[in-house]
Amino acid sequence: MNQMKIGNGFRTRLEFVLGQVFEDLECGGDHETRAFVATRLLEAVQSGILKLEDLKGIAQDALAEFVHPEALAPIRPDRIEPCSVVFSPIEPDSRSRHV
């Protein structure tokens, strides 16, 4: 794996993002959850994503994935119900006619 050295300034940015994402959780989240989100953040940085808002979005997505992995499971075609919407033609309104 191609490891990227992260400087103190950028490390502070990542810690800030983690703090924002976990601020509403009791005790700032457990170690396992924070480690999962931090790993996703590091992967994002290594792939070239550096903007603070982008990193925050990635951290929020990672937290959601960790907490509710079933919500991000692939959609199974056999569980999709067919749509039964019927469209009817629109009748012209006599008030909209210009004579």
Side-chain angles (χ1 to χ4, degrees):
M1 175 186 255
N2 186 8
Q3 293 278 332
M4 173 178 158
K5 188 156 179 112
I6 297 176
N8 287 337
F10 203 75
R11 179 168 297 182
T12 301
R13 179 181 282 198
L14 293 178
E15 290 172 359
F16 174 75
V17 170
L18 280 173
Q20 283 190 320
V21 171
F22 284 95
E23 70 185 353
D24 293 332
L25 295 181
E26 184 179 328
C27 299
D30 61 69
H31 176 75
E32 184 180 6
T33 308
R34 289 181 72 91
F36 180 83
V37 174
T39 299
R40 289 295 171 89
L41 280 173
L42 289 174
E43 290 169 354
V45 169
Q46 289 173 344
S47 71
I49 299 171
L50 304 175
K51 290 183 180 178
L52 191 60
E53 284 304 310
D54 294 340
L55 293 171
K56 185 176 179 183
I58 288 167
Q60 289 168 332
D61 289 348
L63 177 59
E65 180 182 348
F66 188 84
V67 174
H68 301 290
E70 69 282 356
L72 298 174
I75 297 172
R76 292 179 42 195
D78 61 319
R79 295 186 133 182
I80 300 174
E81 292 186 30
C83 179
S84 61
V85 176
V86 177
F87 293 96
S88 60
I90 299 173
E91 295 296 324
D93 186 358
S94 61
R95 293 174 291 175
S96 65
R97 293 185 190 181
H98 298 284
V99 180

